[in-house]
Amino acid sequence: MTLNQLQDSIRTIYGAKDGSRGMEGTFMWFMEEVGELSAALRGGSQEERLLEFADVLAWLATLANIAGIDLELAMQAKYGEGCPGCGQAPCICGSEHKP
Ligand SMILES: [Zn+2]
């Protein structure tokens, strides 16, 4: 599944609900899922982690849909040529820099 397919799939499944919930409510759900991923990474099974990664990615796609952002274009624009800081792959930025 490509990022475009992910966004299309999420739009098909949840587009109507997402439109009525709006950005702020959707962001709250996204952050709740990030918290659940944190808990799964700390103490969950690999199956639980798999499901929480899927939830976080699905809610991120939902946010992008509401905001009118194409995730594939966004990733290509920022990371398509390697590290946005140094332009290399693998990154050669010093550890004091966050790319
Ligand atoms: Zn770098």
Side-chain angles (χ1 to χ4, degrees):
M1 182 184 285
T2 67
L3 289 171
N4 278 338
Q5 289 169 335
L6 167 66
Q7 285 188 258
D8 285 345
S9 178
I10 293 296
R11 188 177 294 111
T12 299
I13 301 170
Y14 298 115
K17 288 183 178 178
D18 293 341
S20 60
R21 185 187 320 102
M23 185 72 77
E24 289 184 12
T26 301
F27 190 78
M28 296 277 282
W29 278 109
F30 170 70
M31 291 307 293
E32 186 166 316
E33 291 299 339
V34 171
E36 290 177 12
L37 175 60
S38 173
L41 288 171
R42 288 161 77 84
S45 68
Q46 197 67 356
E47 176 68 15
E48 288 166 334
R49 292 173 177 178
L50 180 148
L51 296 173
E52 294 303 339
F53 270 105
D55 283 344
V56 168
L57 192 54
W59 281 102
L60 184 66
T62 297
L63 281 173
N65 285 344
I66 293 172
I69 296 296
D70 182 319
L71 287 174
E72 216 159 279
L73 288 178
M75 288 303 294
Q76 183 60 40
K78 183 146 191 189
Y79 294 98
E81 305 297 325
C83 170
C86 64
Q88 302 295 309
C91 168
I92 57 170
C93 293
S95 55
E96 69 279 7
H97 294 109
K98 177 184 162 296

